[in-house]
Amino acid sequence: MQPDVKANSVPSWLILLLAAACGLIAANLYYAQTVIGPIGVTTGLSSAAAGLIVTLTQIGYVIGLLFIVPLSDILENKRLITFFLIILVIALIGAAFSSHAILFLTASLVIGISSVVAQILVPYATYLTSEEQRGRVVGNVMSGLLLGIMLARPVASFITSLLGWQAVFVFSAIIIGLLTLLLSRALPARQPQPAMKYGQLILSLGSLLKTFPMLRRRALYQASLFGAFSLFWTTVPLQLANEFGMSQQGIAWFALAGVGGAIAAPIAGRWADKGLTRILTGLAMVIAAASFGLAYLFQGHSTASLILLVVVAITLDMAVSGNLVLGQRIIYSLSEARGLVNGIFMSIFFVGGAIGSSLGSWSYAHGGWSLTTLIGLLMPLLALVYYLTEKKVTVVSNP
């Protein structure tokens, strides 16, 4: 049996590798979002049915979070990571060469399932470091993951405009293949010492939520903020096209601006190590609510309104990415079964994201940008009200 990794000072190159790996893997969840139109034309999907591409990818990801991520608390982590990255490469190749809707939708589902490797790597990183460094390490790794998520949409748009949508998946398959080889050689082995069998772990999902109130809180906080985030990024491309007449490339440049918000992840991690988790959590909710408030109050098609939208994109991304790191730092201290805890946390907040996307599509169709921004404002405000019921004693035992 291979020994478990020990918490020591982590080499900076390894943290950089984990951050880059998380970003490159998570990006596969979002490549299709901005190129659904061209994919639909090739595969024969109608504009309405093309939405299934994103939906199935997200469904696959939630399945992976609930049923694959817990395996990291039982199986040797490096082998588990390598196996599912190989599956991801196969799915990406399948997507690139799909000419029929059923084939592409199946590949999308598998891409979602296998992309949960990113959520195996994040808790894996916490086993490499001490308690005192955990916030910094999680923040750095999560900043890579968030950069991947934010860059995926504009990168896919740019590549598609030059080489076609198939090239997006071909390039990703090559990159993930090389990453698989690198991780299989560079990662230290980690063999967990499971206290339960796989079936018992899955059945314990509900009891973990009941046992750890802070897990419920942090998941619901992040679900609310990620719901607002998803609502914004689902509708803002429509607003940019309708109100400002932006092309696909113009929208891609706008999405690039939002990448600046990822800087909040490592900063939040370092400040959390100094005991500022509670204050920063409330601040993230206030910033998210204020972002939508500004977007609602200052509407129009002027240059000033466009600049304000860029600022809103950055501040909203900062709030969501910062709060995510704060939440993960806390939940990883609740139990040694970090893969299971992370799976619960991520699946709940991704459900929040799916709800936000659905609400965004509905609100923009029925009430335009005004109704959309009001709903976006409401989501972090509800989280803030719930946050105000949190007692200090609840988090005393947490980092």
Side-chain angles (χ1 to χ4, degrees):
M1 180 177 292
Q2 293 174 310
D4 198 348
V5 293
K6 301 296 182 182
N8 294 309
S9 179
V10 190
S12 57
W13 67 265
L14 183 55
I15 296 302
L16 180 61
L17 174 61
L18 289 171
C22 284
L24 291 169
I25 295 166
N28 290 290
L29 296 169
Y30 299 92
Y31 285 139
Q33 286 190 348
T34 53
V35 294
I36 284 177
I39 292 172
V41 171
T42 302
T43 59
L45 281 168
S46 66
S47 56
L52 284 173
I53 296 171
V54 176
T55 301
L56 283 174
T57 305
Q58 297 293 343
I59 288 173
Y61 197 66
V62 172
I63 290 171
L65 287 167
L66 292 175
F67 298 104
I68 293 175
V69 171
L71 287 172
S72 65
D73 294 322
I74 300 175
L75 303 179
E76 200 282 307
N77 282 193
K78 184 163 69 171
R79 292 179 184 174
L80 183 66
I81 290 165
T82 301
F83 175 78
F84 279 103
L85 284 180
I86 292 172
I87 298 297
L88 177 57
V89 171
I90 294 171
L92 288 166
I93 293 172
F97 293 98
S98 295
S99 57
H100 295 89
I102 296 297
L103 292 176
F104 190 88
L105 292 174
T106 301
S108 297
L109 180 67
V110 178
I111 287 171
I113 293 172
S114 50
S115 291
V116 295
V117 169
Q119 295 306 325
I120 296 174
L121 288 172
V122 177
Y124 172 86
T126 69
Y127 290 105
L128 301 176
T129 187
S130 64
E131 178 71 27
E132 293 74 21
Q133 294 179 315
R134 186 170 296 156
R136 177 180 63 84
V137 170
V138 171
N140 288 336
V141 173
M142 285 304 300
S143 65
L145 187 147
L146 292 164
L147 276 171
I149 290 174
M150 295 174 187
L151 284 169
R153 299 177 183 92
V155 165
S157 292
F158 286 131
I159 292 177
T160 299
S161 66
L162 296 173
L163 300 171
W165 67 265
Q166 292 91 342
V168 176
F169 294 93
V170 170
F171 288 154
S172 184
I174 294 170
I175 291 170
I176 299 299
L178 294 173
L179 181 66
T180 303
L181 291 174
L182 183 57
L183 290 177
S184 66
R185 294 179 177 274
L187 292 183
R190 178 189 172 253
Q191 178 63 58
Q193 305 295 327
M196 293 184 287
K197 295 181 179 179
Y198 178 72
Q200 293 172 311
L201 273 178
I202 299 303
L203 291 174
S204 70
L205 289 169
S207 62
L208 275 176
L209 275 174
K210 183 178 180 180
T211 302
F212 299 118
M214 189 50 68
L215 175 58
R216 297 196 302 269
R217 279 191 170 272
R218 298 306 315 196
L220 289 173
Y221 291 166
Q222 192 62 25
S224 298
L225 292 186
F226 193 63
F229 174 89
S230 298
L231 177 143
F232 179 83
W233 285 106
T234 297
T235 56
V236 78
L238 300 174
Q239 178 69 0
L240 291 172
N242 296 336
E243 194 69 25
F244 299 96
M246 278 196 178
S247 64
Q248 188 68 45
Q249 285 201 354
I251 293 170
W253 283 113
F254 179 90
L256 274 176
V259 172
I263 193 175
I267 295 173
R270 287 179 174 85
W271 285 358
D273 287 339
K274 298 178 181 179
L276 298 175
T277 297
R278 181 176 168 81
I279 294 173
L280 292 174
T281 299
L283 181 61
M285 296 170 185
V286 170
I287 290 175
S291 299
F292 276 103
L294 288 173
Y296 174 77
L297 291 173
F298 298 97
Q299 298 183 43
H301 50 267
S302 64
T303 302
S305 297
L306 180 59
I307 292 173
L308 180 66
L309 267 185
V310 173
V311 173
V312 167
I314 294 172
T315 54
L316 181 61
D317 289 0
M318 289 178 66
V320 175
S321 60
N323 193 67
L324 176 57
V325 171
L326 299 173
Q328 287 188 301
R329 189 184 190 280
I330 286 180
I331 66 167
Y332 292 151
S333 70
L334 299 176
S335 169
E336 281 300 307
R338 292 174 190 165
L340 186 62
V341 169
N342 191 56
I344 297 170
F345 174 76
M346 297 294 292
S347 59
I348 290 174
F349 99 66
F350 261 86
V351 169
I355 292 172
S357 295
S358 299
L359 283 175
S361 299
W362 174 85
S363 62
Y364 196 83
H366 292 84
W369 188 242
S370 294
L371 179 59
T372 300
T373 49
L374 283 176
I375 293 176
L377 171 63
L378 182 62
M379 297 177 83
L381 283 181
L382 288 174
L384 184 61
V385 171
Y386 184 41
Y387 160 81
L388 293 175
T389 67
E390 180 183 309
K391 298 178 181 178
K392 283 190 175 182
V393 68
T394 309
V395 294
V396 167
S397 62
N398 296 324

